[in-house]
Amino acid sequence: MGNEPDNPPLIYLNNAATTWPKPLSVLDEVTRCMKAPFFEAGRSTAGAATDYPSETRRALAGLFHAEHPDHFIFTQNATDSLNLLIHGFVKKQKASFHAITTDLEHNSILRPLNALAGEGRLSLTTVPSEDGYATLREIKKAVRPETRLIVMTHGSNVLGTLQNIQTVADYCARNDIFLIVDGAQTAGQVPINLSSLSSGAFVFTGHKALFGISGIGGFYLNDPEAIAPVRQGGTGTDSRSLVQPDEMPQRFEAGTHSYPGIASLLAGIRFIEREGQDRITTKGRDLAALFIREIANDPNIILYTPSPDLPVISFNIRNLDNDDAGYILAKAYNIITRAGLHCAPLVHDRIDGGKGSIRISFSYLNTPEECRAAGEAVRGVAEGANH
Amino acid sequence: MREFLLESPLTPEFLTFLKSFGTVKEYPHMKRPYFSFEQEYFITLKGFIGDPGVEVRYRKEFFDLTSDYFHLLLFYAKQGESGIHKMQEITDSIREKMNVRLPPQGRV
């Protein structure tokens, strides 16, 4: 249906899941990587090729203002990172402990924590958010003497709210609590300064606002000793040893990297550097504000965040299931959104009774014209549902 | 989930037929006249009247019983009142097999 001549051009607004399209420089770098013989010190004798892992760690350190490039660990995605960190932290603890998370979280946090709680490895408190924000006040109320871990998002993937991580990080540093920050929605979208997050870990994924391809993500860890490795294997170094090396990054990286993924991440970071992080952040907020102006006055549209910090907008249309709205937008207007729970079930219990929402999410490569067209389409669907 | 491109567009008569077997929601004032159909445990449909495209979703646990159900609906819809009767017999037969798998409190 999307190829019918009378259909409007495709507008992709599901960038909080995966950004599309990618900058051409990203596609070119992946092609270049795939055309060159495989190279990594210790794993291949091919020379004169790019050492993508090392170069990308340096690029990440530059983008995120991090002190130690080798403390960036590559994984498959943010979910993979969160699993390694959460399970690795638990493995390091001698006894069961108390952990805190929030109701804004993605299942990539909720499921590992609840699985471990079910096994008796930790007890878990989920603190309620207020208007899309997890506050230090609520977190402090949940803290107990045996609290050792807080895992929370930097930016809600449903509401587009940016959490005040710095205040939580400062509190954690003062109280010997390890903080894991899920930056899946913020890395590449807003400025991030890891030098001011003195303890804990920051998680990112490559395939969203960093403009990489799917299958590459990672985390930054200030203190490698805080987390026990849960994977062991070949590192290309110290091969006679039967135990995993302790040095970073080998402590947490086993097996051959996703070279095309890392190459795409490097090119994505270079793209962000060329365009400017501040400009990208500003454009995201401007697109979100423009779209909200398009729909805010329609009484048949229920908007859940009137002023999001990130270009992520959730809403519902009266008298229409969000799933149906997503289908109509896709098939009748050629606008790709996402409908449902967005893998964050607890936040939906608060905002829409657990029914889910339609989510529109912009990338730096969307245009104001696409934004207006989407607003017009959503108003049209709302009118059609309430005629 | 499967998407089918039918040989002919979906008709209002087909929607009328569907109403005998589940819940039909109609939104005729959309840009294209939209409908959805849900028959619990069997299938859900989404599509537009006058359009040959349709999305069909199945419950994974009953897929072996319901994978042909949409095509049976299309076939018997063309037979009018006798088609409704025949389709009802098929539906009842499938439902009996579903009930063997469902716990007593969840039987349909």
Side-chain angles (χ1 to χ4, degrees), chain A residues 1 4 6-8 319-321 323-325 327-328 331-333 380-387, chain B residues 3 5 25 27-32 34-36 38 44-48 51-55 57:
Chain A
M1 291 171 72
E4 287 174 11
D6 60 339
N7 256 9
N319 298 320
L320 188 67
D321 287 349
D323 200 38
D324 293 322
Y327 184 90
I328 296 165
K331 300 296 184 185
Y333 295 89
V381 174
E383 188 184 342
N386 293 278
H387 194 274
Chain B
E3 286 196 54
L5 196 60
K25 290 182 186 171
Y27 296 92
H29 299 290
M30 291 291 176
K31 184 180 177 185
R32 295 181 195 168
Y34 175 74
F35 79 94
S36 68
E38 181 172 10
T44 61
L45 308 176
K46 294 183 196 301
F48 299 96
D51 192 297
V54 61
E55 179 192 288
R57 292 188 190 189

Side-chain angles (χ1 to χ4, degrees), chain A residues 49-90:
Chain A
T50 306
D51 180 358
Y52 281 109
S54 300
E55 200 165 321
T56 306
R57 283 185 234 276
R58 286 193 291 273
L60 284 162
L63 182 67
F64 295 150
H65 306 281
E67 192 178 348
H68 307 292
D70 282 348
H71 288 209
F72 279 98
I73 302 301
F74 293 120
T75 65
Q76 295 174 42
N77 47 46
T79 298
D80 195 31
S81 298
L82 287 159
N83 270 275
L84 286 175
L85 287 164
I86 292 169
H87 286 275
F89 184 82
V90 169

Side-chain angles (χ1 to χ4, degrees), chain A residues 210-229:
Chain A
L210 288 170
F211 290 114
I213 61 175
S214 54
I216 187 66
F219 61 85
Y220 182 77
L221 187 58
N222 266 305
D223 175 14
E225 290 300 317
I227 303 290

Side-chain angles (χ1 to χ4, degrees), chain A residues 183-250:
Chain A
Q185 293 298 329
T186 56
Q189 188 60 51
V190 297
I192 285 162
N193 188 344
L194 294 182
S195 68
S196 63
L197 292 176
S198 57
S199 70
F202 180 83
V203 165
F204 61 92
T205 191
H207 66 106
K208 300 183 195 276
L210 288 170
F211 290 114
I213 61 175
S214 54
I216 187 66
F219 61 85
Y220 182 77
L221 187 58
N222 266 305
D223 175 14
E225 290 300 317
I227 303 290
V230 294
R231 289 178 184 163
Q232 290 80 31
T235 55
T237 60
D238 203 12
S239 293
R240 185 161 289 283
S241 171
L242 298 183
V243 296
Q244 190 75 7
D246 251 348
E247 305 87 67
M248 294 288 273
Q250 290 89 346

